[in-house]
Amino acid sequence: MFRTALRNVLSHKGRLLMTVLAVMLGVAFTSGTLIFTSTISNAYRKGSEKGFSDVDVAIQPHKKSGQGKPGDPPDLSQRLLGTAAGLPHVASVTGTVTGEAAVADKNGDLIGRGFSTLGANYYPGANGQDARYPMKRGRPPTATNEVALDARTAERAHYKIGDEVRMSVDGPVLDQVVVGIFTTDDGTVAAGGTLVLLDTSTSQRLFTRQGEFSEIHIKADPGTSQSALKREIESILPAHTRAVTGEKLAHDQAESVKKDMESMRTALLFFAVIALFVGSFTIANTFTVLVSQRIKEIALLRAVGASRHQVIRSVLAEAAVVGAVAASVGFVLGVGIGVLLQPLMRSSGVLIPSGPLTIPPIAVIASLLVGVGVTVVAAWLPSRRAAKVPPVAAMASVHTTPGGRSLVLRNSVGAMVTLGGLALLLFARSGSRPAGVPLALGAVLLLAGVIVLTPVLSRALITAVAPALRLFGIAGKLARQNAVRNPRRTATTGAALMIGLTLTTGMTVVAVGLQRGLDKMATDGLRADYVVSMVTKTPLSLPVEKTLRRSPEVTRMSPVRNSPARIEGKSRNLSGVDGRTMDALTRLDFSEGSFSRLGGNHVVVDHKTADAFGWHTGSVFTVTYEDGEKGRMTVSGLFEGNNLLSGIMVDTATLAPHQRQVSDVLLLVKTKNGASDAVKDSMTNALGDNPALRIQDKEDVSKSISNMANLLLSMLYALLGVAVVVAVFGVINTLALSVFERTREIGVLGAIGMDRSAIRRMIQLESVAIAVFGGGLGIVLGIFLSWAAGSLITERMATYELVLPWGRMGVFLGLAILVGMLAAQWPARLAVKINSLDAVKAE
């Protein structure tokens, strides 16, 4: 029976090609994802191992929840460093200072992408060198106006020793001289970020406080274990600090990278699963038709003694051979995908370090299991149908394809599953909590139910487009009849395309609604002409605010400041704003009170925070400020928060005396003549043309939101495109097999006068009808599922609204029609090549 299965594979090479391609793409995406994430994880892991190779123990700030003052600084002083250096088994001690330092290229543009722009100190040891940063050229920085650049940044920005470089930490521009270029194993730099080194004193002034370090790294004497050194160091630690071994630091960083990679891997594998699921329809169709074409052969095997189980094993063995071939080719293709994903991710702004290609064993195993497993499972039902063929009836050509009555059970089950899914989705929409689980389960059940019901739906929907098909005469009429002749096959083919367009449409509708909601939150709540902030997401220093206040263009301005606090035992941030100007700068939706009542011990709070604490207007609560002092606050207003303004808002005059360091998260600015290019240029020049500063008007805010949404959608379209390509193969395969099955019929049509162009048009129209069925059903399902998901999104974003992008959905339907036309080309060529006389004589 195995030899029979192998002969069948070799005798139908052309017919099985599309099945191989469908499985191959899914396997390639799976193995490519595993190879890509393993390569990146390995690069990060090796970088972290090198980064901590000279660290046996690190002293870090560590404050347990509820202990100390909310704004306690890290107690890592020069005195602690000196004490640690004097311990018996300590070989060397390094004080590290880190922060964000944006660097401009020679054209004044920012190098890197905000959070990837790092700054640190050069801490020379006894030999005058810092082992972390070997100098490639020049010397380390020793003066306030000197910096060293990492070699990658210097190379891409064409900086050399002696050049002047502009940088910014918290707003004001710093003009520095490049005195050194160094190499580093830092993963962020390897991924495309930047690293600037300054002398320790300057780093402390910019990033921490004079005499303070971010961490203290300690190297043990030879023969002293990390755990022994850790115990020794713990005896000198002040409160709110801890000692961590270098092994644990490297392990924790590796685990953090692994966790980050897991989320990316899960997302990518989700699309691979979709592609394989769609491909399973193609496989099932292929084996259903191949089995039906070999009815007499199978009947003969049964007649000479083959059992049902042997027939099933024969078909499954055939599927396993096809799956193994597809898995092997798919794995090789997956290696290429794993390599290509790195530059693709970098071009989209994702920071990814370079490293040697890593092919984990799981990628090889998964490729074989997935390729063979999916193919065998998809071929199982056709194999069971083959085994049920009565030998005598099949040999006498009595056995026929199951008719409509056999669909009754399927339709009944499909209807129940669909109704169950609808009920769960409506329950989730009703506002019951929690809504996430019923929403997800309802979506799965609805999709599964519709897939089961596609045979009966295909008849109805293709009949609905019959008037359009009749415009093409007899070719259109025959195309409609062919499309509904075998509803199972038509439904299975259309379902493959339906799944891809359901996800594409649903995600598009949700993304457009989110974009509209974010835009509304960001711009509708603003009266200010400009929002000023740092690209690096770090706070703005007070000189930025003072500079803008002196500008003759500025009429009103308010900072937004964050200060850590403790409220009812919970750590929270207080947001400081100027209560006198906020009504003129914002348009927040207050249910009670307004900014006019902000001042002294009166605060305004967004609804989510108020609900979390059970507050209402007039509620009084106790706050522990950043400096440890306590006060009592009264809630004087409740508003709907947005992505710019939310939480507990306090007047800056009340908050500033308790802040360790006064700095602004952002500035809201209103100008005399409104937003214009001239005003923006004037503000930019006043702030020193700083590349790290972001001055955005409402249009800029809206555009940045649109760019993020469009980038996300582009990536989703690219990933879902794999599923659509697999669906195309399914349409091609079904039509080609249908042509083989109808060889005699097509021959008769040619014999009675139907010309080749009409036959070609018939096949093309049949393909378009199937594509319109699958595409139209997918778009409708996508809209419904996005509507159902809206309730869950609205819980977290009140401004979200359902927006139907008719233009994009029209494009999706047009692409479905195009898919149908392209998929029909090869089957149509096969049809017109059929010799009428040979076909009529064929059995």
Side-chain angles (χ1 to χ4, degrees), residues 549-631:
R549 286 193 185 279
R550 290 195 297 267
S551 172
E553 297 287 342
V554 176
T555 57
R556 286 185 179 88
M557 185 167 66
S558 173
V560 178
R561 300 171 181 170
N562 279 346
S563 176
R566 190 172 299 120
I567 300 169
E568 296 183 9
K570 298 178 181 178
S571 295
R572 289 279 178 160
N573 276 337
L574 298 176
S575 296
V577 296
D578 187 345
R580 298 168 300 175
T581 61
M582 285 297 285
D583 275 330
L585 295 169
T586 62
R587 194 183 290 108
L588 295 181
D589 184 14
F590 274 85
S591 60
E592 296 179 62
S594 69
F595 278 116
S596 62
R597 302 190 63 184
L598 189 68
N601 66 340
H602 289 270
V603 301
V604 295
V605 184
D606 75 324
H607 287 117
K608 287 185 178 178
T609 304
D611 291 342
F613 285 100
W615 294 339
H616 52 81
T617 304
S619 294
V620 178
F621 61 92
T622 302
V623 58
T624 302
Y625 291 105
E626 184 177 346
D627 60 358
E629 289 192 22
K630 293 186 177 181

Side-chain angles (χ1 to χ4, degrees), residues 117-187:
T117 55
L118 306 178
N121 69 317
Y122 188 90
Y123 194 90
N127 60 358
Q129 298 178 356
D130 189 333
R132 300 172 298 168
Y133 309 116
M135 284 293 154
K136 187 177 181 180
R137 291 189 295 276
R139 61 174 176 82
T142 56
T144 301
N145 67 331
E146 294 179 346
V147 296
L149 298 177
D150 71 88
R152 288 183 176 87
T153 298
E155 182 179 354
R156 62 177 158 161
H158 308 292
Y159 280 121
K160 59 183 185 296
I161 304 299
D163 284 347
E164 189 173 272
V165 60
R166 300 172 70 237
M167 60 173 281
S168 177
V169 172
D170 54 5
V173 176
L174 303 174
D175 292 318
Q176 308 289 108
V177 177
V178 179
V179 297
I181 295 173
F182 63 93
T183 58
T184 178
D185 295 316
D186 188 283

Side-chain angles (χ1 to χ4, degrees), residues 711-725:
L711 176 62
L712 177 63
L713 272 179
S714 297
M715 294 178 67
L716 289 174
Y717 289 158
L719 294 169
L720 288 171
V722 177
V724 175
V725 170

